[in-house]
Each structure stands twice: as structure tokens, then as C-alpha cells.
Amino acid sequence: MTAFQAFRIHNDANGYRGGIETLQADALSPGEVLVKVAYSSVNYKDALAGTGKGKILRQYPLNGGIDAAGVVVASTSTAFKEGDQVLCTGSGLSETRDGGYGEYIRLPSSWTIPLPQGLSLRESMILGTAGFTAALALVRMEDNRQSPALGPLAVSGASGGVGMLAIDIFTRAGYQVHAISGKSAHFDFLRSLGATECIDRHQLQFSGKPMDSARFGGALDNVGGAMIAGLLPLIVPYGNVAICGNAGGIELDSTVMPFIIRGVSLLGVASAGTARDLRDQVWQHLASDWKPRHLDRIATQEVSLEQLPQVFDRMLGGESFGRTIVRVGNI
């Protein structure tokens, strides 16, 4: 393998910085599967890592990018052979090992997912960690007896990548979705993805009561803080609230009443460390019965490695919309 390009992040005596570098194969983190990367994606976590505005990396230097999809070029694992199309999300990428912002990546075979039939490499990265998180939330909810009969699912932070994909995925799975967003200019777009109702976060007033009239069969909360506290009293008996974000704060000011009177369940969704068997289950759903119908519309931007710093700044400034995918190599 010849030298290749990567967006590499350092934190040393010269300060915190990230940029394009030329690397050799021996610089990559170890793993049984060597992959030529075709696509990655940009998540909020990537923007924090790439700029140093969040403590994401646990060692330095590393290539950024928590998602990767490409083609196997070499493998010492009997599970994979040259030419196989594969993907990986989370699993320590851009935290403890090199991530997807490089033309090549080495992966442990235990974290490498064969690209499911029904998805292209590009589609898998439009989904990426965001789509995986939304689908994982629904798996967890349905494992706890969530069903469309309980009523609509609320999705907070609906204008973000996870929120948009959740609308599309939940609708595909047979649910009505009520989208909650502070960006009312995007409501028509959210309806086009399948939302049956759009609720302006700025006009959403919670009563503050421990219990209120049930309004939602369940919810996926991307916001945290006051949002999750306000949603819990509005969930029907034995509905589920899955939480996967904290853009609105890490505090939870609530009471036990929704839990002990209505049997509401609060489910944590941590996609990065998901067990392999559950990963396979989620990706099979995403490639088949839960595959979003509007992936090309949700992918609003495709960029190169060189354009990443500008993308990070826009995302951290609240100016991004939809999913940004990164074209890493020509495959």
C-alpha cells in the first residue's frame, strides 16, 4: 500500500490541531481487516473532535471520523476477504483508534460489519451513526413492547441528523411521528419525510406537573434537559422514552410519577459500544423493512476531507442541516 491522505488530529506541545496529512500504513491502528475507505460522515461528535471543542479523543494522534464504509483490500480474518464491502460506526473510531477520515483504515474483525444487501456504501454513511442511533432506539423501545397502537412517537431535535432519520425510520416501521423542532422554517421538509405533526419547540409549553394528559405513545429525545423532563409526563401508560442526546443540558429535573403511575420507561441509547449481535440486527433493519425512503434528500451535502474544517465550524455554529457525507476515496 502506498502513502495515503488522512485528516489527523494532534494534541501535543504544539497545541490541538487537525488537518490533512500524508501517512504510511504502519501509522494506522492495528486490526485484522484493512479497508480502503469510500465514504464517511460528519456527526456533531466529529466536529467536537476535529476542533478540540469537546473531549472526544482519548489518545493522540488519531485520524478523525466515527463512521467508515469501504472495501476490504487485505484481511487476516477468515470472516472477510479482499473485495468485501464493509462498514463500521462508533466502536472506538476517532476515540481510541483511527477513524474514517483517511483513505485507509484498519479494523478489528469483531467491529467490522458486512455491508447488508439493500444498502450501498454511500447510503450506509448517510445513515452512519445517526441512523444507527435512531434505529437502535426503536429496537430498544420495541423490545420493551412499544407499538404503533400506543400512539404517535415524539421526536425532539427533529431538524438534526438523528431526528430526520428517526422520522423516516419510525414512519417506515408503521408509527406516526410528531416532530419537535425550534426551526419552524424546516417544518415542510420534516413533513415530507413523514412527520404527521410538527411542533415548534419555542411554543411548546410544559405544565410542570408531575403528570399531565397523555399525548404521545413514546418519544426519542435528542435534547435532554428541560425537554426530557417535559416529555415524561405526556407519555401514555407503558410507553417508552429513548434518550440519545444532551444538546439542551445533562440535568434531569423530574419526578418518579410517570414511572410508578403509568409504567413509563426511560431507555438510554449509547450507540458507540453496542454489542455485535445487536449491531447486526439494527443494520439488517436499516437495509430492509426500516430503510428510510428519503436518504438522498436527507443527505444535503457531500464534501471532501479538505473541506472538513469549514463543515465543523458550521455544525458547531448551528448552521448545518441534514446529513453531510464525506467522499474519502474513489471506489
Side-chain angles (χ1 to χ4, degrees):
M1 187 179 75
T2 59
F4 65 95
Q5 300 293 105
F7 185 91
R8 198 155 179 84
I9 301 168
H10 296 261
N11 187 13
D12 53 28
N14 294 318
Y16 197 105
R17 64 201 184 280
I20 303 298
E21 297 182 21
T22 300
L23 300 179
Q24 301 291 331
D26 58 6
L28 288 171
S29 303
E32 299 88 16
V33 186
L34 179 63
V35 177
K36 183 175 175 59
V37 180
Y39 291 98
S40 185
S41 70
V42 183
N43 303 276
Y44 196 76
K45 194 172 182 179
D46 294 314
L48 292 173
T51 60
K53 294 182 179 178
K55 295 181 179 179
I56 306 299
L57 274 66
R58 301 179 192 175
Q59 63 185 62
Y60 302 89
L62 288 178
N63 298 342
I66 65 173
D67 297 336
V71 176
V72 175
V73 294
S75 174
T76 59
S77 167
T78 57
F80 298 95
K81 65 182 185 302
E82 184 178 348
D84 286 348
Q85 294 186 317
V86 298
L87 65 90
C88 184
T89 60
S91 307
L93 300 190
S94 190
E95 289 187 18
T96 59
R97 59 183 303 113
D98 289 309
Y101 292 165
E103 293 177 303
Y104 290 89
I105 187 172
R106 276 205 186 96
L107 298 170
S109 61
S110 59
W111 296 349
T112 307
I113 305 294
L115 183 72
Q117 185 175 358
L119 282 180
S120 68
L121 291 172
R122 184 177 186 274
E123 288 174 330
S124 76
M125 289 295 94
I126 298 174
L127 290 163
T129 288
F132 180 84
T133 298
L136 176 60
L138 188 55
V139 167
R140 293 219 61 201
M141 293 167 77
E142 290 196 338
D143 282 348
N144 207 37
R145 302 176 63 86
Q146 191 73 44
S147 73
L150 289 179
L153 296 179
V155 175
S156 67
S159 295
V162 175
M164 288 182 184
L165 287 163
I167 293 170
D168 217 340
I169 291 166
F170 294 176
T171 301
R172 277 282 274 148
Y175 292 85
Q176 289 190 29
V177 178
H178 290 188
I180 302 172
S181 172
K183 300 177 179 179
S184 58
H186 296 158
F187 281 2
D188 285 345
F189 183 85
L190 299 181
R191 292 188 187 97
S192 77
L193 300 181
T196 55
E197 183 175 335
C198 292
I199 303 166
D200 190 332
R201 173 174 58 82
H202 301 297
Q203 298 178 9
L204 181 61
Q205 295 183 348
F206 298 122
S207 70
K209 298 177 182 178
M211 299 279 285
D212 212 332
S213 298
R215 180 174 178 179
F216 304 117
L220 172 61
D221 178 49
N222 292 284
V223 178
M227 180 61 71
I228 183 69
L231 286 172
L232 286 169
L234 304 179
I235 306 301
V236 303
Y238 294 97
N240 297 280
V241 177
I243 183 165
C244 64
N246 63 349
I250 62 173
E251 299 81 11
L252 176 54
D253 183 7
S254 185
T255 74
V256 300
M257 300 302 282
F259 310 114
I260 66 173
I261 301 299
R262 288 186 180 155
V264 172
S265 295
L266 182 59
L267 306 175
V269 181
S271 63
T274 306
R276 176 57 189 264
D277 62 334
L278 187 50
R279 284 184 184 276
D280 290 336
Q281 179 185 349
V282 171
W283 280 109
Q284 287 303 318
H285 276 305
L286 287 170
S288 55
D289 55 332
W290 293 357
K291 183 178 179 179
R293 295 184 175 95
H294 307 95
L295 286 176
D296 283 336
R297 298 192 64 203
I298 293 172
T300 54
Q301 185 176 207
E302 184 171 321
V303 301
S304 66
L305 291 174
E306 289 78 10
Q307 293 172 294
L308 284 172
Q310 292 76 30
V311 174
F312 295 157
D313 289 341
R314 288 196 299 271
M315 181 170 282
L316 295 179
E319 299 173 8
S320 62
F321 178 72
R323 288 282 287 161
T324 297
I325 59 173
V326 185
R327 182 63 186 253
V328 181
N330 294 317
I331 295 177

